Amino acid sequence: MLNRVFLLPLLAHLAVGWWMIRYPVALPSEDALFFARGLTHFSVLEFSPHFPGYPGLMLLGRLVLLVTADPVRALWLVTVSTALLLPVAMAWAVARLGGRPLLAYALGLTLPLLSCLGLSLLSDGLGVFFLVLFIGLCARPSVRAWGWGGAALGMALACRPSAGVFVVVALGLALWLAPQAGGARWRPRVMILTGMMAVLLPLFGAVFLLEGLPYVAEGWRFLYGHLFLWGQTMVSETAVRPSWSQSLRSLPVGRLWALVMLGVAAALAVSLGKVFCRRGRLIPAGWLILAGAWGAATAWTLAFQNPANPRHLAPVLVLLALMLASLPRRWARGMGWSVVALQASMAWFTLDVRHSPAERFPPAHTAVQAIDALARPGQGETRSVTLFSNTALELFRHELPMVTVVDAYYRDDTESVMRTTSGCLLRVSTQPWSGRFGDRLATFERTFAGRFWGEGALYLYGTRECVSR
């Protein structure tokens, strides 16, 4: 009977894995390019990768690079493997919390962002994966397990430093709720901190030794710029900022799914509040750590993450799924399987099953191919091309050395170059044509759609000189 119960999830996992690994190995963003560079030449000051260096991801990528000589493929193997292991880690953590592991497994496997976590070649999936391991390890009063939990928490920070806010909340709750072990309450606390420092100190210490004091200056520049200038956060100075509701609106039945998830969160909060009022500190430590981490992750994501990148919602959704699968209530089981059915239907709409994944490249890669074709219209023939973009700048410069790439973030400089430059002018944007740069660039427009939810489309438009022979 047990084999029959797990046969269907296993087949579903194999199908999801087969679908994901059939996508071509290609760089989807300039951040992925920075990570790939870092696997062969590590220098934070040279954006290989960008601050703070992501030493956990670099370490895992270097280990995989021993097997394959291609840094992009090594990065792809790390992120895809982590995404496919995430539902298993969720089921394991929920089992240790005394919940329903099969429900957690199904919620993870149908997660709308699972493909994005695997194929973005970024560190989001690794950070969530190690955070789930930490919660599972801290679910039971074992000193050794809490030590390993500290190591997992250290890897979460080393792979995804932007998760530091809710990771620190989880750490604080773990230290506060450390169980009695051998009559000495300090032992599990020491084990957690020892495990975390055993990971963080060597990794970030090595980065600081390589970079020196300029690493601190680069950190201040990067953090200030991300929070207040170009980061599209709640406190940034940018004129136009997308909203999370707009991001969810691009997903099929996204509004319904968002309302359902809000209802799940409200129901879980009410249920946890009732239990806390009745039992107080008798609530399992793993449950309180999970709830606190979810609340901190939600606040941090809504305030300080860019809504244009839905992958930032991954920690919020994964932790919410763990809470739903861990709650010992009959209504939670029915609500959980309803969410699974809704997410499965969303996956059917977001993944274009009419086309083979092997034929679908990231939008940035497809845009590079289109621009290259415009720059070289015939055999042995080249054309002067100037590209204006405020996204994937380094990727375009790396892949298109014959094209002049101008940073469109600086509007005055962009308009000046546009007035004084002749020939083919191109503009790449994450938004459809808005007429911001006049009608000159509106001669033609091409759209490169994302492959799944979380991967935004790119729009290419340009002057008539680009299409004339």
Side-chain angles (χ1 to χ4, degrees), residues 2-40:
L2 186 62
N3 293 334
R4 293 179 181 179
V5 169
F6 285 96
L7 178 61
L8 183 59
L10 178 61
L11 293 176
H13 203 149
L14 292 175
V16 171
W18 173 248
W19 183 265
M20 194 178 297
I21 65 175
R22 291 185 65 199
Y23 280 97
V25 180
L27 291 171
S29 64
E30 64 178 2
D31 286 345
L33 172 64
F34 297 152
F35 286 138
R37 285 176 176 174
L39 295 183
T40 55

Side-chain angles (χ1 to χ4, degrees), residues 371 374-375 383-387 402-405 423-426 466:
I371 297 170
L374 292 172
R383 174 187 287 147
S384 175
V385 176
T386 303
L387 173 66
M402 79 294 292
V403 175
T404 302
V405 181
C424 174
L425 302 182
L426 295 173
C466 299

Side-chain angles (χ1 to χ4, degrees), residues 144-230:
R144 182 176 298 179
W146 283 52
W148 283 110
L153 201 62
M155 280 300 295
L157 282 172
C159 293
R160 187 66 182 170
S162 62
V165 172
F166 50 91
V167 165
V168 167
V169 171
L171 174 64
L173 288 172
L175 295 177
W176 177 52
L177 299 167
Q180 293 283 353
R185 194 174 182 82
W186 55 267
R187 286 184 58 194
R189 293 174 174 171
V190 171
M191 290 298 293
I192 293 174
L193 294 175
T194 301
M196 186 175 66
M197 290 297 105
V199 173
L200 291 180
L201 288 181
L203 291 178
F204 281 100
V207 175
F208 182 78
L209 290 177
L210 287 172
E211 305 294 344
L213 289 177
Y215 178 75
V216 179
E218 170 63 16
W220 171 253
R221 185 201 68 83
F222 183 87
L223 292 175
Y224 183 85
H226 175 75
L227 291 176
F228 300 105
L229 296 179
W230 66 75

Side-chain angles (χ1 to χ4, degrees), residues 378-400:
Q379 186 175 4
E381 182 182 356
T382 59
R383 174 187 287 147
S384 175
V385 176
T386 303
L387 173 66
F388 302 89
S389 176
N390 55 2
T391 182
L393 284 169
E394 291 300 322
L395 181 61
F396 289 134
R397 288 168 179 162
H398 178 265
E399 298 289 346
L400 300 167

Side-chain angles (χ1 to χ4, degrees), residues 231-371:
Q232 297 287 358
T233 64
M234 183 178 292
V235 295
S236 65
E237 299 174 1
T238 50
V240 179
R241 180 182 184 269
S243 64
W244 285 109
S245 61
Q246 292 173 340
S247 179
L248 292 173
R249 205 176 301 159
S250 63
L251 184 64
V253 298
R255 293 181 180 179
L256 174 61
W257 177 68
L259 290 174
V260 170
M261 299 308 286
L262 286 175
V264 170
L268 289 173
V270 171
S271 180
L272 182 62
K274 288 183 178 180
V275 176
F276 186 81
C277 291
R278 293 175 182 175
R279 301 172 59 185
R281 289 286 299 275
L282 295 179
I283 298 178
W287 235 98
L288 287 177
I289 295 172
L290 178 58
W294 176 80
T298 302
W300 169 257
T301 302
L302 295 180
F304 296 105
Q305 295 294 341
N306 188 358
N309 298 319
R311 69 176 187 277
H312 294 314
L313 287 173
V316 178
L317 298 178
V318 169
L319 294 175
L320 185 61
L322 293 181
M323 293 172 63
L324 183 58
S326 302
L327 191 66
R329 294 290 187 273
R330 185 173 300 178
W331 61 264
R333 179 175 60 183
M335 182 176 289
W337 286 111
S338 300
V339 173
V340 169
L342 182 59
Q343 291 184 162
S345 65
M346 291 162 58
W348 175 263
F349 288 111
T350 54
L351 298 177
D352 190 357
V353 296
R354 297 170 298 176
H355 301 89
S356 171
E359 304 172 357
R360 305 195 65 190
F361 286 87
H365 182 88
T366 312
V368 165
Q369 292 179 327
I371 297 170

Side-chain angles (χ1 to χ4, degrees), residues 55-73:
L57 175 58
M58 293 295 99
L59 175 63
L60 296 175
R62 287 287 182 96
L63 294 176
V64 178
L65 198 61
L66 299 175
V67 180
T68 175
D70 183 7
V72 179
R73 184 171 292 275

